[in-house]
Amino acid sequence: MTKVEFGLIGDAELVEELSLLTTQTARMRARMADIMAELERRRCTRPAHARPHR
């Protein structure tokens, strides 16, 4: 959205859009944390011989 487009939208609409984006960001962060936890769980439960060497 450009500055010109922002100028055409009222305060309530901008606040609503910001709220929506904040909610989406929070959901994405939670999902990322879930995925990272699952990957860590899998890494820790893999037998030592199946783990890649670093």
Side-chain angles (χ1 to χ4, degrees), residues 3-16:
K3 288 184 180 183
V4 172
E5 290 172 315
F6 281 142
L8 299 174
I9 298 174
D11 290 356
E13 289 84 2
L14 287 174
V15 170
E16 185 177 336

Side-chain angles (χ1 to χ4, degrees), residues 2-6 8 12 14-15 19-25 27 29 31-32 34 36 42 44 47 51-52 54:
T2 66
K3 288 184 180 183
V4 172
E5 290 172 315
F6 281 142
L8 299 174
L14 287 174
V15 170
S19 176
L20 177 65
L21 290 172
T22 302
T23 300
Q24 289 173 347
T25 301
R27 287 182 184 152
R29 285 184 178 158
R31 183 70 176 141
M32 287 171 58
D34 290 346
M36 289 168 45
R42 290 180 186 190
C44 291
R51 292 183 193 154
R54 293 184 184 190

